[in-house]
Amino acid sequence: MTNALEVKGLRKSYGEKAVLKGIDLCVRQGDIFALLGVNGAGKTTTLECIEGLRAYDDGTISVNGRIGIQLQSAALPAHIKGAEAVRLFAKWNRKTADASMLAALGVDNIANKQYQEMSTGQKRRLHLALALIGDPDIVFLDEPTAGLDIEGRISLHDYIRNLKVQGKTIILASHDMAEVENLCDSIAILKNGEIAFAGTVIALTEKIGKRYNIQIRTGQGLETYESDDIGASLITILKSYMSWQEKDTVIQDIRVDRGSLR
């Protein structure tokens, strides 16, 4: 299978601080690939070097195809409307925006809405639509679901899977293991400027096991627990909260997620 991306020996320093210490990556065409790591691990720097947005010190980068980019901190002029942004990016790309793509992402619903009035989810959808206007072969997504509610995350995940069905390669940066498990064919984990793991999600799970985050909200605040055995841990935790109910501690919400790399 043809590779969409090959990176060899990528190095980048800011002054005396080495951020990337010889990164090697390979992404197959048509895969959904995730670059994981804690905040500050160098995920965004790696993507920006690959995308051509940031100069790097050493190494080689080979990209096989046209790219579209959804930046983590992208922003548009406050008063630009959704439809105006679409027309602007279409003109830059010398393309006609795909009406079905705009409808699927809900951009039609914000066509006359100013950017400053859009919710986080609406902005994310607009950013993705703008990245897709040029009909790219490879789509870069930096923390694509950050700030979205559950419904927004599920909807965006479905659309990312649809892009894969269309034959596009998706390269995303994330800290969220649940997101990666749901979406990705292959992953690489950045740690201290180096690749600590590269392979499939199944291979990673076999290596490190499953970790769950349990969040319990009461009137007293939010408590977070970690566990590899979700069933046994929930029973123990809930029993302890039941004994506190005599002190007016009432459970308001329980949430269980796969572990995060924050």
Side-chain angles (χ1 to χ4, degrees), residues 85-160:
V86 169
R87 288 197 297 270
L88 179 62
F89 274 67
K91 187 171 183 178
W92 279 343
N93 286 278
R94 298 181 181 180
K95 295 276 188 178
T96 299
D98 183 342
S100 62
M101 178 270 288
L102 297 176
L105 287 173
V107 176
D108 292 350
N109 299 327
I110 55 173
N112 295 314
K113 197 171 189 177
Q114 291 185 348
Y115 187 76
Q116 65 179 355
E117 299 171 340
M118 297 178 191
S119 67
T120 298
Q122 290 170 335
K123 289 177 180 178
R124 290 280 179 181
R125 289 174 175 276
L126 177 59
H127 295 162
L128 180 54
L130 299 179
L132 294 174
I133 284 177
D135 191 23
D137 304 298
I138 307 168
V139 184
F140 289 87
L141 308 174
D142 196 350
E143 302 282 1
T145 58
L148 297 187
D149 58 20
I150 295 297
E151 183 179 353
R153 287 166 60 91
I154 292 173
S155 178
L156 190 53
H157 285 177
D158 287 342
Y159 195 80
I160 291 172

Side-chain angles (χ1 to χ4, degrees), residues 188-203:
I189 297 178
L190 266 178
K191 184 177 181 182
N192 297 325
E194 299 176 317
I195 299 295
F197 173 88
T200 65
V201 173
I202 293 175

Side-chain angles (χ1 to χ4, degrees), residues 62-101:
S62 299
V63 179
N64 183 20
R66 302 181 304 277
I67 68 172
I69 305 170
Q70 181 197 44
L71 297 174
Q72 181 182 5
S73 57
L76 294 169
H79 299 291
I80 194 171
K81 295 180 179 179
E84 293 171 339
V86 169
R87 288 197 297 270
L88 179 62
F89 274 67
K91 187 171 183 178
W92 279 343
N93 286 278
R94 298 181 181 180
K95 295 276 188 178
T96 299
D98 183 342
S100 62
M101 178 270 288

